[in-house]
Amino acid sequence: MEKMGYNFKSVDRETAYLLPPNMREWLPAKHLAWFVVDAVESLDLSKFYSAYRSDGWGRAAYEPKMMTALLMYAYCLGEQSSRQIEKACEVDVAFRVVAGNGRPDHTTICRFRQDHEEALKGLFLEVLRLCKEGGLVKAGAIALDGTKMKANAALSANRDYEHLKKEVDRLFEAAKKKDEEEDKIYGKDRRGDETPDEWATKEGRLKWLREAKARLEAEAAAKAAEQQAKITQRETEEAAAGKKKRGRKPGAPDDKPDNDAKANVTDPESRIMKTRSGYVQGYNAQAAVTEDQIIVAAEVTQECNDVGQLLPMLEKVEENLKAVGAPDTMETALADAGYWSDANISGAKPEGPELLIATNKDWKQRKAMREAPVPRGRIPAAMTTRERMERKLLTKRGRALYKLRGRTIEPTFGQIKNGRGMDGFLRRGTKAADSEWALMCATHNLLKLWRSGKATVGRIWGQFSGATPICAEVYA
């Protein structure tokens, strides 16, 4: 019996092919790349264009719309590295479509991100406006939380104050000796351009060290002022009462930094942050989200805890909702125990949203909601602010509302950090980290809008209604 041959599709790598001449045929019409391109066409990019000459002189630059779309598409995929974006513009068809078949190198991409720091941060509000037009911004209950994001610096780059002081003194002495040597070789009136290139690196290092040392000294001075205020207040209270107060008397203020105080010499503005899995060198990234996981406010802070961020974030939410013309107002603000303090409750606006803030750690709060009975009757008049909040959280309404927090803000951070793999910043400094966090959050909202099928403007956005995104599995 004659054996039959395999029935396989042939593989021919020798035949010459050309991509279709029309770039619209390179990708399906419902691909994310086309959505991002059309979204950017609808944004106000006037801040980007104002940075360029309008008289046509100088070397031609890449179109800001293209560069903005390229960065936003890359961040949608979780790609932050300018080198990887450059590589993708060569080997990835979708990136080539977004870049208009151009190939900006990583230096150009990096400089664009750096030169347009404020404009890129402004994209957050522009994308939020698109989400509002798509009917996704419903501001009834807003959940707030912070997440620790890694800085572009290592924990091992932290130095204590004594080390910084010695290093600054050593480099100053080395610089002095170097100047004396160069004066002998070149003369005092000559520049001495023959100085080795590595000396410039030492000067740069000295600059960072001086800034780190100054930061520790400023923090020590602020702490001393706070301590002196406590002493003055105690003395005033004792004078008014005519007797000494009980308890330990506050120690004398010391405006010198503690020798154990540390500063990072790679990114002095970053801080040592405690997380569930240990310590990281980074920043505290704040976000406020709606029930549909749309981020309506995003900020980066150096503060290691969240307690001081509640009122500023609530103000930012109201400001952003007003800026995009959202029809709803914030009715309830949900936050975990990291935001609890009597000062936050007393400092909140009377006409502002109702506050539901946990007073215990998350696992304790969840346990209380599972096991504690629902409170009944009138609220006792003798209850403290904390006890009133605990009682409110245990009511049926309080339990239902607080459960929204776990279904909104926590998955949002998971989608950014785990789903897209963006758990840190590439650029250094609070301002740069704030810009990058805004871009991460803007692309998070853009992906929500794309998946919803509710986009209403642009050339092809109407085609997304009821459609399943081609790359939905990437962003699940």
Side-chain angles (χ1 to χ4, degrees):
M1 182 176 179
E2 184 179 351
K3 188 176 180 180
M4 297 182 66
Y6 293 110
N7 186 19
F8 293 147
K9 292 184 178 180
S10 62
V11 178
D12 183 2
R13 297 188 179 90
E14 305 303 324
T15 302
Y17 290 93
L18 290 174
L19 284 169
N22 185 352
M23 202 175 286
R24 284 279 168 190
E25 298 178 30
W26 291 13
L27 292 172
K30 298 174 183 178
H31 196 279
L32 175 64
W34 289 122
F35 182 81
V36 171
V37 168
D38 284 338
V40 172
E41 288 286 339
S42 302
L43 303 180
D44 179 8
L45 303 183
S46 56
K47 288 185 179 179
F48 289 88
Y49 286 91
S50 64
Y52 296 89
R53 295 184 61 155
S54 58
D55 55 10
W57 284 77
R59 187 176 179 180
Y62 282 103
E63 168 65 46
K65 279 186 181 179
M66 183 277 286
M67 293 296 292
T68 302
L70 182 61
L71 271 178
M72 294 192 76
Y73 180 69
Y75 271 69
C76 281
L77 299 183
E79 186 55 74
Q80 299 168 260
S81 168
S82 55
R83 284 179 169 80
Q84 293 303 316
I85 297 172
E86 176 191 356
K87 180 180 178 181
C89 288
E90 284 190 30
V91 301
D92 190 296
V93 173
F95 273 89
R96 291 183 67 176
V97 166
V98 176
N101 214 22
R103 296 183 184 179
D105 59 32
H106 65 272
T107 303
T108 301
I109 296 169
C110 187
R111 284 178 179 169
F112 182 85
R113 186 161 45 186
Q114 180 177 346
D115 294 343
H116 300 283
E117 195 171 79
E118 284 298 317
L120 285 170
K121 183 180 179 181
L123 291 178
F124 174 79
L125 210 57
E126 289 293 310
V127 174
L128 186 61
R129 186 175 286 108
L130 295 182
C131 290
K132 188 271 296 185
E133 292 173 358
L136 296 185
V137 181
K138 300 171 184 176
I142 300 292
L144 293 84
D145 206 353
T147 185
K148 305 303 189 292
M149 299 287 286
K150 298 175 185 175
N152 190 1
L155 273 171
S156 58
N158 282 288
R159 300 290 184 269
D160 59 36
Y161 179 74
E162 196 62 32
H163 181 279
L164 290 172
K165 186 178 179 182
K166 290 178 179 178
E167 189 70 3
V168 169
D169 291 342
R170 185 187 69 80
L171 287 176
F172 267 125
E173 187 62 29
K176 182 179 177 182
K177 290 181 179 179
K178 187 68 177 179
D179 287 340
E180 291 173 355
E181 291 174 5
E182 290 178 348
D183 285 346
K184 292 178 181 178
I185 298 172
Y186 308 113
K188 290 186 177 182
D189 297 329
R190 298 187 61 186
R191 288 179 55 187
D193 292 331
E194 298 82 4
T195 303
D197 291 338
E198 59 268 19
W199 185 246
T201 305
K202 287 185 179 181
E203 291 176 351
R205 184 182 173 195
L206 176 60
K207 173 180 174 291
W208 284 107
L209 289 171
R210 292 177 66 185
E211 288 180 1
K213 178 172 174 286
R215 196 263 290 177
L216 291 181
E217 291 171 345
E219 288 181 355
K223 190 179 293 185
E226 183 180 351
Q227 187 69 4
Q228 183 59 53
K230 289 181 180 178
I231 294 173
T232 304
Q233 182 181 358
R234 183 185 177 96
E235 291 174 349
T236 302
E237 292 174 354
E238 287 178 345
K243 61 179 181 179
K244 292 186 177 181
K245 294 183 68 175
R246 298 177 62 184
R248 181 181 296 178
K249 185 178 180 180
D254 184 3
D255 60 357
K256 293 182 180 179
D258 188 342
N259 287 335
D260 293 331
K262 294 183 178 181
N264 195 279
V265 295
T266 306
D267 184 356
E269 295 184 21
S270 64
R271 298 290 185 268
I272 299 175
M273 301 278 177
K274 186 178 181 180
T275 69
R276 292 180 181 179
S277 56
Y279 290 90
V280 298
Q281 189 72 33
Y283 293 92
N284 186 353
Q286 297 282 311
V289 304
T290 67
E291 294 181 44
D292 294 323
Q293 297 178 4
I294 298 296
I295 302 174
V296 291
E299 298 290 330
V300 164
T301 176
Q302 298 170 301
E303 298 296 328
C304 300
N305 56 56
D306 298 327
V307 69
Q309 310 310 315
L310 178 70
L311 301 182
M313 285 298 291
L314 291 179
E315 289 182 8
K316 196 67 180 177
V317 170
E318 293 177 347
E319 180 185 321
N320 288 350
L321 291 176
K322 184 178 180 181
V324 301
D328 301 331
T329 58
M330 179 172 44
E331 298 173 359
T332 309
L334 312 170
D336 63 15
Y339 293 89
W340 170 260
S341 75
D342 288 336
N344 278 341
I345 302 300
S346 60
K349 296 178 181 178
E351 71 279 6
E354 178 186 12
L355 300 180
L356 277 175
I357 307 174
T359 57
N360 296 305
K361 291 184 178 180
D362 198 49
W363 68 271
K364 289 183 178 180
Q365 191 67 48
R366 293 177 190 272
K367 183 180 179 182
M369 288 184 171
R370 287 195 307 267
E371 301 175 358
V374 177
R376 298 181 181 279
R378 292 185 177 181
I379 302 174
M383 272 191 165
T384 64
T385 304
R386 185 187 186 96
E387 290 170 339
R388 284 174 176 268
M389 182 61 70
E390 289 173 350
R391 188 182 191 280
K392 185 194 290 187
L393 287 166
L394 291 178
T395 63
K396 287 185 178 180
R397 178 174 173 274
R399 292 174 199 244
L401 281 171
Y402 192 76
K403 282 183 180 179
L404 289 175
R405 195 197 71 83
R407 299 201 303 263
T408 54
I409 189 66
E410 292 178 6
T412 297
F413 289 149
Q415 290 158 20
I416 294 174
K417 298 177 74 172
N418 300 108
R420 289 194 280 160
M422 295 192 293
D423 61 353
F425 303 122
L426 290 186
R427 300 188 58 226
R428 294 168 180 156
T430 307
K431 190 177 179 182
D434 195 32
S435 175
E436 198 167 358
W437 177 240
L439 188 55
M440 291 179 186
C441 293
T443 49
H444 168 87
N445 287 346
L446 196 62
L447 286 169
K448 290 289 182 184
L449 182 61
W450 177 61
R451 287 194 295 265
S452 72
K454 295 182 180 179
T456 58
V457 294
R459 290 173 294 176
I460 61 172
W461 289 19
Q463 300 178 18
F464 289 95
S465 181
T468 300
I470 303 298
C471 303
E473 68 278 2
V474 178
Y475 315 102

